[in-house]
Amino acid sequence: ERLRDLREAVAESPPFAGPALVLGAADPAQPYGAALPWPKRPGGRAPARAVGAQVVLLGGAPALYLERGGRSMLTLREPDPAWLEPALEALAAWVAADRRRRVSLERVDGMPVFESPLEPALVTAGFRPGVRDLVLRA
């Protein structure tokens, strides 16, 4: 019942209003892929509830999916700076919270990271260019 109440509150609020939260994709507190369907993105692979994968939620709505190993990321909404900036800030804070964490993005939405329109936003969030990837570490 509490999930239903949250769904109604999120539906009445502006999109992505609320706090940013990074959860494991397989975490029981993360309802997408189990109790709720993942958002559909044209031409994109569907996320999975995989151990090691992370989901960035904004106001309870999924925004980003970081695949296990941190080499590929999927956007779960049409890219828009209004939600992309806080989602990437939350991801950067999650990485910075543990010195052992490292994200080496090679692909975003199925395309090489250096060809992605999200590259400038990733660099602004703290990712640094590597040879074939953008790297974020604590």
Side-chain angles (χ1 to χ4, degrees), residues 25-26 30 32-34 36-41 44-51 53-56 62-68 72-77 109:
Q30 192 285 110
Y32 292 91
L36 299 172
W38 291 104
K40 297 207 186 293
R41 291 281 289 143
R45 285 194 329 243
R49 290 183 65 88
V51 173
Q54 304 298 317
V55 179
V56 179
L64 298 172
Y65 177 84
L66 184 67
E67 292 184 350
R68 179 177 46 202
S72 182
M73 185 175 72
L74 300 172
T75 56
L76 301 174
R77 295 282 184 246
D109 290 333

Side-chain angles (χ1 to χ4, degrees), residues 33-121:
L36 299 172
W38 291 104
K40 297 207 186 293
R41 291 281 289 143
R45 285 194 329 243
R49 290 183 65 88
V51 173
Q54 304 298 317
V55 179
V56 179
L57 301 174
L58 291 174
L64 298 172
Y65 177 84
L66 184 67
E67 292 184 350
R68 179 177 46 202
R71 299 214 179 272
S72 182
M73 185 175 72
L74 300 172
T75 56
L76 301 174
R77 295 282 184 246
E78 281 298 318
D80 179 350
W83 68 262
L84 187 59
E85 185 177 318
L88 289 174
E89 286 175 4
L91 184 61
W94 175 78
V95 169
D98 187 338
R99 295 177 55 103
R100 296 170 293 171
R101 290 187 185 136
R102 174 187 162 128
V103 175
S104 299
L105 276 181
E106 294 177 3
R107 303 188 77 70
V108 175
D109 290 333
M111 66 181 4
V113 69
F114 292 117
E115 296 174 16
S116 170
L118 301 184
E119 180 188 2

